[in-house]
Structures are given as structure tokens and as C-alpha cells.
Amino acid sequence: MDFKKILVAVDKSENADRAVAYVGEIIRDAEGFCIELLAVNRPPQRDLFPDQAAWEAQAQEQTRQLEAALEKAKDILLSFGTNLKCISIRIMDSTDPSIARPILEAQREGEFGTVVVGRRGVPKSEEFLFGSVSKRLVTEARGFTVWVVE
Amino acid sequence: MPPTVQELLALYPPGFTVHEPGRVVTDTTEFHNITSGDVIAAGGQHYLVIRDEAERRFGIEDPKFWVKRCICLENRESKILKLVFHESFPMQIGDMEVACYRSPDKESRILDLVQGDWRFMQGFTVRDEAGNNVRVLEMIRGRRLDLVVDAIEADHRSYVREHLPGLLEQYLGSCEAIGLLHAHGEKHGDIRRDHIWHEYGTGRYRWIDFDYTFDYVENPFGLDLFGLGNILLFLVGKGIRSAQNLSPEESALLDPGDYSLMYGYRVMNVRKLYPYLPRALNDVLMHYAVSSEVYYETVDELLDDLRPCLDLLPKC
């Protein structure tokens, strides 16, 4: 697995921005790296909305926010001097309740040697109730490296 | 011209006098205005409203205006009608505030899923003339699980020997029922000890109220698993032992890691208080303790640890 092929999971959070900045800080304008910025677009739960229109509006807003987050992430990398040609962005639509599983799927498909993810740094209690993307990635990672950026 | 309530009552006498016949309601949107004596017409049936339902928790009566105790005039069966009420509200879990949502359609899906499965309340969904979801639920004649346990008059050691094996066996079935929901991508959403009812006559333990839901990050079932652990703690301890009701001697036995991860005052390491409890059963509870580094993520994981405990309990 080529560790210079880096998959960075991006969402609209500051944790993701930190992860991207960490990658930018390390890679800068080094040659031979390939960085994919990936946003998993899991639609909001329909049950949380009183009607279809409200749900669709939120789903569209979420997609827009993820697109913006990816552009922002690209700009962060560029600000560290990373070559534009090394950067790709991707929104992956998913209905999987897990966010980690689509990231792992993208890793397998793209044969990324490194996966980078931000960590929310939530208390144990919150992690217990709602789960942790970074924890699942670390638990299920086989044959590649995971960077968890806090 | 649709029939009036008086005409319906004449056609289908309910077997008792309705002192103030109201109106026939075909649009349940304004559920606050639907009161005793009204008749809700939906799905080809007529439901005479007796009263609003209420939930009693912590000694306080909480009226649920969107839930109507009714009698189906066509067959005189008692029914609960749940009408559409979308709300979101913060639920306090320990120090955390969790945004909860009420979803009628979620409950309808689960009612369809568990049709004929007596581990759950039963019912079906019809639509009123305005297209509103109306859930028609069968009445469960029985008692809440917490009241069943509270009513057992025994010291803890006797309770563990004489009552806990039976309760735990039933509870394993209740956990398996939640596993069935999860296997279908559904969550209960509000797992509490007063949401399992022990049915008179059949002795079945049945889950009620499936309309809560909540957002999550990675594990959609974490909150359900947390609820299952809470009930297990209640069953094993014959109530919750909390820091406030410990004797000084008992307090001295406990470390900070022995308390609940969510509720810092609840004792999870109950074996320190009741040393006759099987270690394996206590180990299950300790997955919910501050000191735990590994949490249950699936009902199967919980059951794999819990099932063997049944054989470890002291027998009568």
C-alpha cells in the first residue's frame, strides 16, 4: 500500500479543518504525494423532519455545506504550497448509517496507504452513546495507516 | 351528510352512557381540540374518545394530548389512538443533552415490522381525511416492569435467588426483541424500564412507545444499548443504588470507576455491594461504568455476555 496516497476525510467541522491543515503542514510541496479529500454525504434521517420538503431542504443544505467544506479543505492545502495537481476532491453519497464504513470502502477502492481523520475529542459518554468515526477507523484498519488528528 | 355522534351511538351502542356527545372528527390535526365524547373517524372505523392519556413519572402526571384512550364503536374494543405530534426536545442524560424527536412515521414502520410479535405492543396505522397518521394501538393490560420489580417483597439476596433468574430470562427476550429492530435498521429510541409492560394473563414482557428518535454520529444504536444497560442495572440491583443512598461502609468500598459513565451517582459495580452476584453478570454492567474502555455496540455483543449469566445465578 502506497502511504503517499492519502485519503483525508472531510466534513464541515473544525476537526476536519485541523486534519487537513496537519496534512498540508507535513506534505507542503513535496513530490510524489496524492491527496484525495473525501466527504461522505449521508442524508439526514428522514424521521427527524416533519415532512418531505423540510427533509429535502436539509439534505440539499448539507450537500452544499459539504461542497463548501471540500473547497475550503483544498484551499487549506494550497495555502501550504501543496501542488493543485496532487489534490482531488470527492463527495461520496452513502446511505450507510456509519460514516467510517464508506471511508474504509473509499480506502480500499483507491488503495490509499494513509487515511486521515479529525477527532472530535468528545467525552467517553458521548462516544458511547453516538459512536466515534475515528475509533471505528482505527479498530477496523488493516494494511494501511490511520492518522487521527486532534 | 355524515352521521352525528348521536346517530353513531345509536347505531353502535358503546354499552355505557355518553353524557356529552361531541362531534365527529375526520381531521385530527388540531388534536388539542379533540375531547371526551368526540368520535374520530379514520380507516373506516369510529373511535369514541374517552380521555387523553397521561404518563406518570416521578410522581408527576404528564398529559399526552395527542394520545387518546378510545373505544372502537364497531367492535367495542378499547384502543389507544396516537395522533400526529411532531416535537423536538432536549433529553437530559447525565451531563449530556440529547436532541430527541417524535416521529409518527417511525412508530408506524415499527408497528408494521413487529406485527404479530408479542414482545412488542401491537397496532396499525390509518390516515384521517387530511392524510394525518393515526396509529391505532391495542391496549396492554398489565403493569410496568419497574412496578413489577418494586412490588416484590424480598431482601436483595432472596430476590436474586428467587426472582432474578425469571426476570433475567424474560429480559433476555426483551433484548433480543430490540436486536430484531436493529437488524432491520430501526431503533426503539426510548428504552426505559417503564416502557416494558408485563402483561396480565400471558406473562409476556412487551415493549411500548416507538416514536422517539435522535441523531447520531457513528452508532445509531448506542442510545438503545445504554437504555438496555440501565434496565439491567435496575433488575440486578432491584432498583438503582446511587451514591446518596449508600451507607458509609458501602461508599468506602467503591472507587470512582465503579459508577455509571452517564449518571455519575449510579453504582454500576453492584457486586461490591452484593458479593453473591455472579462476577460475569457484574462484568456486563461494568461495560457501562466510568472505568470501562470497551462499550457494547450491538445487542448481540450484550447478549453474548448476558446469556451465560442466567446459569450462574444462584438457584432457589
Side-chain angles (χ1 to χ4, degrees):
Chain A
M1 206 69 80
D2 183 358
F3 74 89
K4 288 187 172 180
K5 284 195 74 178
I6 301 174
L7 181 68
V8 187
V10 172
D11 58 23
K12 55 199 179 191
S13 70
E14 288 181 10
N15 319 307
D17 291 350
R18 278 201 307 278
V20 175
Y22 184 86
V23 172
E25 181 83 49
I26 286 182
I27 307 301
R28 293 195 171 262
D29 59 352
E31 296 289 321
F33 283 89
C34 167
I35 303 168
E36 179 164 299
L37 301 169
L38 171 76
V40 176
N41 192 15
R42 178 181 69 193
Q45 290 182 76
R46 175 65 182 83
D47 290 335
L48 306 187
F49 297 87
D51 55 58
Q52 186 75 5
W55 174 73
E56 284 175 4
Q58 180 57 35
Q60 284 173 10
E61 173 62 14
Q62 178 176 293
T63 303
R64 193 195 62 71
Q65 288 178 348
L66 287 177
E67 287 168 349
L70 284 170
E71 285 302 319
K72 184 181 177 189
K74 187 171 79 178
D75 289 343
I76 291 172
L77 289 179
L78 292 174
S79 73
F80 284 99
T82 308
N83 190 335
L84 181 61
K85 287 181 185 168
C86 303
I87 306 170
S88 61
I89 60 175
R90 177 185 177 192
I91 287 197
M92 186 177 184
D93 291 323
S94 171
T95 53
D96 194 317
S98 160
I99 295 288
R101 276 196 294 263
I103 294 172
L104 290 165
E105 188 185 321
Q107 179 278 325
R108 275 193 302 275
E109 281 174 5
E111 297 183 331
F112 291 94
T114 306
V115 172
V116 186
V117 66
R119 186 169 184 266
R120 291 179 300 145
V122 296
K124 279 169 75 173
S125 53
E126 198 170 329
E127 187 184 305
F128 173 89
L129 286 188
F130 303 118
S132 161
V133 176
S134 58
K135 195 165 187 176
R136 178 162 287 173
L137 283 175
V138 169
T139 304
E140 299 192 11
R142 297 287 184 275
F144 64 96
T145 303
V146 181
W147 295 351
V148 179
V149 180
E150 184 148 318
Chain B
M1 190 77 173
T4 64
V5 169
Q6 286 87 344
E7 288 166 339
L8 286 167
L9 293 175
L11 190 57
Y12 307 111
F16 56 87
T17 305
V18 178
H19 294 290
E20 292 186 34
R23 63 203 168 95
V24 176
V25 179
T26 55
D27 176 353
T28 58
T29 306
E30 302 295 331
F31 57 79
H32 281 99
N33 297 333
I34 303 172
T35 58
S36 171
D38 289 341
V39 169
I40 297 172
Q45 304 283 81
H46 296 87
Y47 301 95
L48 174 67
V49 177
I50 306 300
R51 59 177 163 83
D52 293 326
E53 282 291 302
E55 198 168 62
R56 192 167 181 83
R57 290 194 82 196
F58 312 117
I60 297 167
E61 190 101 327
D62 185 17
K64 298 164 105 175
F65 299 111
W66 66 98
V67 185
K68 310 291 182 185
R69 173 79 64 95
C70 297
I71 286 181
C72 177
L73 289 176
E74 279 79 1
N75 57 24
R76 289 196 188 183
E77 286 181 5
S78 293
K79 298 286 183 188
I80 303 284
L81 263 59
K82 282 177 100 168
L83 309 176
V84 171
F85 178 39
H86 287 287
E87 64 168 344
S88 63
F89 51 92
M91 182 195 284
Q92 198 72 32
I93 300 179
D95 295 333
M96 284 177 59
E97 210 170 75
V98 177
C100 282
Y101 303 81
R102 195 180 288 284
S103 169
D105 290 338
K106 170 184 175 271
E107 187 157 68
S108 291
R109 281 199 315 271
I110 294 182
L111 286 170
D112 288 345
L113 175 65
V114 302
Q115 199 69 242
D117 186 335
W118 300 105
R119 298 172 299 180
F120 300 91
M121 75 175 183
Q122 296 289 298
F124 57 90
T125 304
V126 295
R127 300 275 166 183
D128 68 14
E129 274 188 13
N132 289 311
N133 176 313
V134 177
R135 281 143 289 156
V136 181
L137 307 176
E138 288 179 15
M139 296 279 296
I140 298 178
R141 313 249 175 229
R143 201 174 195 192
R144 289 166 18 188
L145 174 63
D146 56 331
L147 299 180
V148 170
V149 174
D150 285 344
I152 295 172
E153 290 184 9
D155 63 85
H156 189 265
R157 189 186 285 267
S158 307
Y159 165 82
V160 167
R161 199 175 53 245
E162 295 164 18
H163 299 276
L164 186 57
L167 286 166
L168 187 59
E169 188 166 12
Q170 293 283 356
Y171 187 57
L172 285 167
S174 297
C175 291
E176 286 165 2
I178 296 301
L180 174 102
L181 296 187
H182 293 182
H184 286 83
E186 301 285 3
K187 45 188 175 282
H188 182 286
D190 196 15
I191 290 187
R192 307 187 322 217
R193 55 184 182 263
D194 57 339
H195 279 169
I196 301 182
W197 278 60
H198 180 231
E199 190 173 42
Y200 297 141
T202 66
R204 293 169 180 144
Y205 284 78
R206 303 178 62 183
W207 291 106
I208 64 165
D209 282 5
F210 319 130
D211 56 349
Y212 273 24
T213 189
F214 48 87
D215 209 356
Y216 63 91
V217 177
E218 180 65 16
N219 181 9
F221 308 125
L223 204 56
D224 275 2
L225 281 153
F226 163 68
L228 292 177
N230 274 339
I231 297 175
L232 181 65
L233 177 67
F234 178 83
L235 289 177
V236 172
K238 193 180 182 305
I240 301 292
R241 295 300 308 273
S242 56
Q244 298 93 317
N245 62 24
L246 296 173
S247 69
E249 295 75 23
E250 287 174 326
S251 291
L253 296 170
L254 297 167
D255 300 315
D258 292 333
Y259 289 89
S260 161
L261 181 60
M262 302 293 164
Y263 299 105
Y265 54 87
R266 287 187 182 178
V267 180
M268 298 306 300
N269 197 351
V270 285
R271 193 163 183 267
K272 284 192 173 177
L273 309 179
Y274 310 120
Y276 42 86
L277 285 170
R279 183 180 295 280
L281 181 56
N282 199 62
D283 287 347
V284 174
L285 293 173
M286 287 302 286
H287 279 80
Y288 296 87
V290 171
S291 56
S292 178
E293 294 295 335
V294 181
Y295 314 123
Y296 292 121
E297 287 197 5
T298 67
V299 173
D300 280 347
E301 289 173 359
L302 170 66
L303 284 171
D304 285 348
D305 285 351
L306 193 54
R307 277 196 196 98
C309 297
L310 203 53
D311 293 331
L312 301 174
L313 284 170
K315 302 291 183 292
C316 290

